[in-house]
């Protein structure tokens, strides 16, 4: 066979091998076989020395060109294999963003969270903003500033969780109500105040209507003119919006709280039907909240002059509201994390309560 024929055959063999290489490793083997130190083309180049000058020149040029073409073919194939591998990976990692996020949603929005949102929505519409305070409180904020001095009988009613005494003799408590947020808000020194403070509260108590952790929403309105009429109107508006009926009859009963004077408890008119309560019907009454005009001592503790500043406060149990509105008989089940219970009473994640769209929609 002529030299040219031999080189052409070699080129075809390598061209075919390059085409056939199915991945980069296989291609590398072909490269080594052709152009590696002991590769066939390299071997032929080494043989050039034995030729006479004329022949060496011609064959050398031919071998160099062959080497160039094989190199180019190898590079092209390598790039093609890389592109294909990337394409393959991208395909396998594709996410169909139109699929549901969690095809089998397990949970639901807890009724307490839902009612919490409902309450915030209603009061936001009435011009209140949301305030917060810590769960661990000092004696001052939880009791003393709220006109509950040491030895006051109201302290016993609170079944307080106490922390260990500190070196200075003080001990902190888990807040027994959301009322401390009243003081923390007043301390900022700005009037008028129109806040609600929804949050967790703690008392050492457990039965069908009490759990050691529960939720309250506190409200405080303070300026130079707010009176009891405003309080009654606000509570009526709240009840109508919350129970989604204009038919709410309310009863304001004189009561006593250390932090308000005068104080009232509020009952709503209801009927019990098959273990469920219907608001606005029948002739039963159910207590839903405590309220009153802020006591002068509390205003003073908050840093204002009770001769110039006045207002009202109230506190509602959120869990209690949830039980009433959604007919849930046992408070303890709220905190047992039983998924079956949650699926029964819970709300879908996208059912955000709005006044326009319906609170319990
Ligand atoms: N802090 C009271 C409690 O937990 C509830 C309460 C009653 C709050 C009357 C108030 C109020 O702001 O005016 O039992």
């Amino acid at each position: 066979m002529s030299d040219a024929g031999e080189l052409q055959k070699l080129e075809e063999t390598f061209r075919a091998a390059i085409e056939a290489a199915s991945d980069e490793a296989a291609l590398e083997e072909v490269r080594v076989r052709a152009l590696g130190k002991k590769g066939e083309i390299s071997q032929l180049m080494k043989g050039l020395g034995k030729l006479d000058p004329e022949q060496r020149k011609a064959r050398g040029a031919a071998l160099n060109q062959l080497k160039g073409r094989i190199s180019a073919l190898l590079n092209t194939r390598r790039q093609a294999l890389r592109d294909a591998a990337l394409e393959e990976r991208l395909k396998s990692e594709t996410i169909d963003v139109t699929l549901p996020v969690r095809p089998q949603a397990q949970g639901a929005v807890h009724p307490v969270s839902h009612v919490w949102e409902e309450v915030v929505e209603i009061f936001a519409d009435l011009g209140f903003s949301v305030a917060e305070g810590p769960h661990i409180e000092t004696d001052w904020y939880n009791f003393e500033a709220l006109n509950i001095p040491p030895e006051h009988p109201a302290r016993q009613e609170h079944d307080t969780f106490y922390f260990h005494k500190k070196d200075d003799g003080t001990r902190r408590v888990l807040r027994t109500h959301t009322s401390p947020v009243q003081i923390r808000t007043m301390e900022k020194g700005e009037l008028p105040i129109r806040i609600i403070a929804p949050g967790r509260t703690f008392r050492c108590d457990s039965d069908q209507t009490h759990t050691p952790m529960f939720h309250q929403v506190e409200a405080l309105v303070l300026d130079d003119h707010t009176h009891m009429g405003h309080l009654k109107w606000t509570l009526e508006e709240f009840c109508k919006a919350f129970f989604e009926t204009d038919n709410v009859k309310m009863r304001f009963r004189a009561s006593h709280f250390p932090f308000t004077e005068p104080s009232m408890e509020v009952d709503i008119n209801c009927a019990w039907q098959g273990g469920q309560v219907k608001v606005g019907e029948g002739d039963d009454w159910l207590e839903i909240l405590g309220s009153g005009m802020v006591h002068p001592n509390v205003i003073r503790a908050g840093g204002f002059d009770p001769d110039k500043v006045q207002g009202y406060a109230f506190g509602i149990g959120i869990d209690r509201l949830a039980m009433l509105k959604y007919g849930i008989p046992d408070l303890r089940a709220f905190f047992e994390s039983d998924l079956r219970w949650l699926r029964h009473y819970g709300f879908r994640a996208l059912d955000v309560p709005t006044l326009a769209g319906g609170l319990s929609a």
Side-chain angles (χ1 to χ4, degrees):
M1 197 196 291
S2 72
D3 282 357
E6 182 204 356
L7 289 192
Q8 200 178 343
K9 207 167 156 240
L10 198 60
E11 182 167 354
E12 270 157 26
T13 312
F14 283 127
R15 191 186 284 272
I18 289 168
E19 276 309 309
S22 58
D23 56 30
E24 279 199 68
L27 190 65
E28 178 61 9
E29 269 176 37
V30 180
R31 188 193 68 78
V32 172
R33 252 197 296 138
L35 307 175
K37 260 199 189 143
K38 293 186 182 153
E40 289 189 47
I41 295 173
S42 312
Q43 292 299 331
L44 290 175
M45 287 204 155
K46 274 185 200 153
L48 286 174
K50 293 185 200 129
L51 300 177
D52 62 54
E54 258 330 281
Q55 279 180 315
R56 189 189 304 154
K57 205 172 163 195
R59 188 155 164 98
L63 279 173
N64 263 331
Q65 283 165 8
L66 174 61
K67 188 178 166 186
R69 284 196 299 275
I70 296 292
S71 273
L73 283 174
L74 282 166
N75 285 341
T76 311
R77 181 73 185 145
R78 186 175 299 116
Q79 196 52 49
L81 284 172
R82 274 187 196 162
D83 288 351
L86 181 64
E87 192 67 20
E88 201 54 40
R89 223 181 95 197
L90 287 177
K91 246 192 245 157
S92 73
E93 290 176 3
T94 307
I95 297 167
D96 181 353
V97 292
T98 63
L99 286 173
V101 183
R102 251 184 283 160
Q104 261 123 32
Q106 295 292 311
V109 175
H110 197 284
V112 168
S113 306
H114 190 84
V115 167
W116 178 315
E117 291 299 326
E118 289 185 43
V119 171
V120 169
E121 179 71 18
I122 295 169
F123 282 110
D125 190 57
L126 291 172
F128 287 72
S129 52
V130 171
E132 287 180 320
H135 294 165
I136 298 174
E137 269 299 7
T138 60
D139 190 272
W140 165 257
Y141 285 108
N142 196 77
F143 294 122
E144 191 115 26
L146 290 163
N147 201 29
I148 314 176
E151 316 310 329
H152 191 289
R155 289 202 180 205
Q156 265 74 61
E157 285 161 30
H158 277 221
D159 301 309
T160 312
F161 285 114
Y162 287 98
F163 284 80
H164 290 305
K165 265 205 174 104
K166 290 187 164 197
D167 289 343
D168 62 8
T170 61
R171 39 180 194 171
R172 298 192 179 231
V173 301
L174 282 178
R175 69 176 181 191
T176 57
H177 48 180
T178 41
S179 304
V181 184
Q182 289 190 26
I183 307 296
R184 292 186 174 273
T185 306
M186 284 188 234
E187 270 180 346
K188 297 193 177 130
E190 283 166 30
L191 289 181
I193 292 172
R194 271 181 200 84
I195 58 107
I196 55 162
R200 292 190 164 177
T201 46
F202 309 84
R203 288 186 200 179
C204 189
D205 201 357
S206 182
D207 60 35
Q208 194 175 341
T209 52
H210 296 90
T211 50
M213 189 279 295
F214 56 107
H215 302 83
Q216 287 189 338
V217 58
E218 190 79 15
L220 175 68
V221 171
L222 217 57
D223 50 33
D224 57 4
H225 65 276
T226 289
H227 54 68
M228 199 103 119
H230 296 119
L231 169 60
K232 288 183 73 171
W233 180 85
T234 306
L235 291 173
E236 271 167 18
E237 286 305 302
F238 168 72
C239 284
K240 278 194 243 170
F242 181 75
F243 291 107
E244 298 176 65
T245 164
D246 277 342
N247 223 2
V248 195
K249 265 190 255 151
M250 304 175 78
R251 186 166 74 174
F252 293 83
R253 236 178 335 100
S255 181
H256 176 265
F257 298 104
F259 27 86
T260 43
E261 182 58 39
S263 305
M264 309 178 295
E265 278 176 305
V266 177
D267 306 333
I268 50 167
N269 169 232
C270 65
W272 290 96
Q273 288 168 359
Q276 284 221 359
V277 38
K278 271 234 170 274
V279 173
E281 295 176 20
D283 40 32
D284 276 328
W285 293 95
L286 215 115
E287 182 204 319
I288 57 160
L289 62 93
S291 66
M293 298 304 293
V294 183
H295 195 289
N297 288 351
V298 176
I299 295 180
R300 212 171 283 121
F304 290 109
D305 178 353
D307 289 331
K308 298 197 180 111
V309 168
Q310 63 183 52
Y312 66 75
F314 56 83
I316 316 179
I318 295 182
D319 322 74
R320 190 97 190 250
L321 286 181
M323 289 172 82
L324 281 177
K325 183 160 177 181
Y326 297 108
I328 305 170
D330 192 327
L331 185 60
R332 287 168 299 192
F334 275 69
F335 309 112
E336 279 168 1
S337 304
D338 185 336
L339 264 179
R340 292 164 303 176
W341 181 89
L342 192 58
R343 285 192 199 117
H344 183 75
Y345 288 111
F347 293 83
R348 281 177 301 161
L350 297 176
D351 287 345
V352 180
T354 64
L355 287 174
L359 290 176
S360 54

